[in-house]
Amino acid sequence: MRITGEMLIGSRTVRGAHGTIRAVNPATGEEMEPAFGGGSNEDVDAACALAGAAFDPYRSTSSEVRAKFLEAIAQGIMDLGDELIERVMSESGLPCPRIEGERARTCGQLRLFAAIIREGRWLNVTIDPAMPDRKPLPRPDLRSQKIPLGPVAVFGASNFPLAFSVAGGDTAAALAAGCPVVAKSHPSHLGTSELVGRVIQAAVAACALPEGVFSLLVGDGNAVGEALVKHPAIQAVAFTGSRRGGLALVAAAASRPQPIPVFAEMSSTNPVFLLPEALTVRGADIATGLVESATLGVGQFCTKPGIVIGIEGPAFDQFSTSAAAALKSKAAGTMLNEGIHKSYRAGTAALSRETSVHQIADGQPPITTACSAQAMLFTTSAQAFLSTPQLAEEVFGPAALLVSCKDEAQMFAVAEHLSGQLTATLHLADEDLAIARQLLPILERKAGRILVNGFPTGVEVSHAMVHGGPFPSTSDSRATSVGAMAIERFLRPVCYQNFPAGLLPEAMQDGNPQSLWRVVDGKLQQG
Ligand code: NAP
């Protein structure tokens, strides 16, 4: 499939005339072909108007039609074959096995949402039958179900060019729910975005869906993204990226005449707590696992463990020595783009400048690629950590900060001091359960996922997964952007009171014609 540098607006391809941008190969620093034309406000308006027009017909398609559409997208992505893999590699610097794995995850997500909507529980059908004889007042017949919110603006993430991008989890969840999607290409992987966007555009046509179900815009700068969020047809926003970008979109959405929800996943340091007995009995193993997790994918995961907290003493010293030794052997790697590379260098330089922080290990020196980054391990005291707010900030890349506490009380104080997180991890042995029980209520307030004796990188796409958390890890702690529950972000409940049978949507009709799981008079039942 030829990459043309055009936008996809409904069934049309449109060359943007508002500036020119090119993807840059982060390994070589070279600009890539072709040039992409940036969109204008008129292009945003055209895409959003089509999405608005598509909303009612699209949401009234059956779950089966939408499930087949999602499966067609998954198949289309696989059918792109090596062309897609090669383009992602050159735009992201990520190695082939990682991209093949991410492609499998992307298709798996689309198929998971196909299964979810076929199964039907997402509709959350609830029926309170009428009680005409109830005293002092009769109860009306009340029935409710979830309906989609409306067109969703999706901002792809730089660090997952497939799984969190044009056909990533946000798009899959929104399309499954019945929401048209207007996506904005991430400037780092424009060609990848076009290839995947064209697959979705073709699937829309093949499934005979309204053309406005999907559009893909390109922006030269922030203006297209801002106009997209502010467009009256857009009813929700999904974003993964920087805190600054996420907060700008939250502010834009809140300043609309009709404010809309923004589900922004932003920054997290994913603290790891090393409890004393675990550290004593298997500190060296934990150190190796930690370094693997912190440097995986050049540390460019939102779940990278960036802060590691233990209690000072010989076991923590030994752990630090083992972690430093493991990190020294880690090769430098190419980061996703120049901006991320620059931020990493600035973040690690800021840590180095702090007098209370000591660098205890460097990975292998940078290689000659343009965006090559060296792994780094730092250490500080809990006292310094508690009194220096910037030490708790995310450094996106292969760096971690070890924090040594005087005692358990100081470890609890560090836990309290942390801001909202996607994950928090406990390394514990049976003898540590009493401390863990005291930490758990704090960590439940701080994080969306709490792990025991593992590492936070590697997010399973499944029914129970929560990839979200309190601010600043996300802008809305009630939501997850990974897993089956991600569909909830794009739904809202509607109650139907005293509806005649002939007007009720099928899912709520007597006799349960769709054989759905429904709550009837407070009891979950099928049939
Ligand atoms: P980014 O700069 O936030 O950009 C993400 C997307 O949002 C891009 O499409 C960008 O496009 C758009 N955008 C950013 N600011 C905007 C604004 N003010 N108005 C409208 N649109 C805006 O993120 P990034 O380039 O992927 O990475 C930068 C940093 O984000 C990293 O160094 C890292 O710290 C963080 N990050 C965090 C995660 C995570 O999951 N926690 C993931 C990836 C990155 P335009 O620039 O074209 O407007």
Side-chain angles (χ1 to χ4, degrees):
M1 192 184 283
R2 199 166 68 88
I3 302 172
T4 62
E6 291 163 305
M7 296 181 289
L8 311 174
I9 299 184
S11 56
R12 292 183 302 137
T13 52
V14 176
R15 171 150 287 280
H18 214 79
T20 301
I21 45 172
R22 286 173 188 268
V24 175
N25 183 325
T28 61
E30 283 165 13
E31 290 194 332
M32 296 174 66
E33 294 295 336
F36 283 72
S40 62
N41 281 350
E42 290 70 33
D43 296 319
V44 173
D45 192 44
C48 293
L50 281 175
F55 179 44
D56 273 340
Y58 181 56
R59 76 185 178 93
S60 59
T61 55
S62 67
S63 294
E64 185 56 29
V65 166
R66 294 209 295 283
K68 288 210 167 91
F69 171 46
L70 296 175
E71 289 165 346
I73 298 170
Q75 190 55 50
I77 290 171
M78 291 309 297
D79 291 346
L80 285 172
D82 289 347
E83 184 189 7
L84 177 66
I85 300 290
E86 282 158 18
R87 184 74 193 196
V88 185
M89 283 173 70
S90 47
E91 287 188 330
S92 68
L94 295 170
C96 183
R98 152 74 200 270
I99 296 163
E100 285 177 342
E102 196 181 321
R103 178 179 61 178
R105 174 179 166 167
T106 308
C107 296
Q109 287 172 166
L110 288 157
R111 294 192 177 108
L112 173 74
F113 279 107
I116 286 165
I117 52 175
R118 279 196 180 104
E119 194 260 3
R121 261 182 307 161
W122 65 279
L123 282 162
N124 210 13
V125 175
T126 305
I127 299 174
D128 297 335
M131 294 179 175
D133 301 327
R134 193 182 67 172
K135 299 285 184 256
L137 291 171
R139 182 171 82 178
D141 182 275
L142 295 168
R143 302 180 188 223
S144 63
Q145 67 168 1
K146 296 266 181 92
I147 70 158
L149 281 182
V152 175
V154 171
F155 290 79
S158 55
N159 59 340
F160 279 91
L162 296 174
F164 272 89
S165 194
V166 173
D170 292 331
T171 297
L175 292 177
C179 300
V181 165
V182 182
K184 179 181 161 295
S185 292
H186 194 287
S188 284
H189 53 263
L190 295 162
T192 302
S193 297
E194 185 184 324
L195 286 173
V196 173
R198 282 180 182 273
V199 163
I200 305 180
Q201 190 185 48
V204 169
C207 296
L209 296 171
E211 59 167 326
V213 164
F214 175 77
S215 290
L216 177 65
L217 298 170
V218 172
D220 179 18
N222 295 161
V224 161
E226 274 170 30
L228 180 57
V229 170
K230 289 196 162 165
H231 195 282
I234 296 297
Q235 295 301 302
V237 179
F239 166 94
T240 301
S242 65
R243 195 187 307 182
R244 197 168 57 176
L247 288 180
L249 298 186
V250 168
S255 70
R256 293 167 38 126
Q258 177 222 2
I260 53 169
V262 177
F263 300 100
E265 192 209 307
M266 299 174 289
S267 57
S268 181
T269 55
N270 306 298
V272 176
F273 290 85
L274 308 172
L275 303 192
E277 188 59 23
L279 209 48
T280 303
V281 297
R282 49 188 179 81
D285 287 346
I286 300 172
T288 315
L290 174 87
V291 168
E292 284 301 317
S293 182
T295 58
L296 188 71
V298 204
Q300 298 169 111
F301 289 110
C302 38
T303 50
K304 180 208 74 172
I307 293 177
V308 185
I309 304 120
I311 297 176
E312 63 190 26
F316 191 60
D317 291 344
Q318 186 52 49
F319 166 84
S320 306
T321 306
S322 303
L327 189 116
K328 277 180 186 148
S329 66
K330 286 289 159 195
T334 303
M335 298 196 86
L336 291 155
N337 62 44
E338 199 189 336
I340 288 178
H341 184 232
K342 220 166 128 186
S343 301
Y344 176 67
R345 291 208 322 209
T348 49
L351 282 176
S352 302
R353 277 196 303 274
E354 288 290 339
T355 49
S356 59
V357 173
H358 307 286
Q359 188 176 339
I360 59 167
D362 269 344
Q364 296 290 302
I367 36 183
T368 48
T369 65
C371 294
S372 181
Q374 185 174 26
M376 292 184 193
L377 190 63
F378 299 90
T379 179
T380 193
S381 68
Q383 192 186 3
F385 187 77
L386 291 169
S387 59
T388 319
Q390 54 273 32
L391 298 187
E393 294 297 318
E394 178 186 52
V395 177
F396 195 71
L401 175 65
L402 310 184
V403 179
S404 63
C405 305
K406 281 205 302 280
D407 50 25
E408 290 171 17
Q410 204 171 37
M411 183 180 260
F412 300 149
V414 168
E416 282 289 5
H417 177 75
L418 293 167
S419 56
Q421 306 289 337
L422 293 171
T423 72
T425 300
L426 292 166
H427 277 275
L428 55 83
D430 286 349
E431 296 77 356
D432 296 315
L433 284 177
I435 310 177
R437 281 193 195 97
Q438 291 187 70
L439 270 173
L440 187 57
I442 306 173
L443 300 184
E444 283 172 334
R445 278 192 273 112
K446 302 284 177 180
R449 177 163 60 110
I450 305 168
L451 300 82
V452 169
N453 293 342
F455 294 96
T457 43
V459 180
E460 188 69 30
V461 180
S462 65
H463 295 270
M465 177 49 67
V466 174
H467 188 66
F471 182 84
S473 64
T474 77
S475 57
D476 190 334
S477 64
R478 295 165 297 179
T480 172
S481 58
V482 176
M485 289 185 283
I487 195 172
E488 294 293 330
R489 295 172 298 170
F490 307 123
L491 298 169
R492 68 181 179 87
V494 176
C495 180
Y496 303 74
Q497 185 167 332
N498 282 342
F499 264 49
L503 191 59
L504 260 181
E506 195 180 71
M508 293 173 292
Q509 286 174 6
D510 288 344
N512 198 0
Q514 295 181 356
S515 296
L516 296 168
W517 282 99
R518 313 195 297 185
V519 175
V520 180
D521 220 3
K523 295 192 183 61
L524 183 65
Q525 54 184 248
Q526 189 180 29

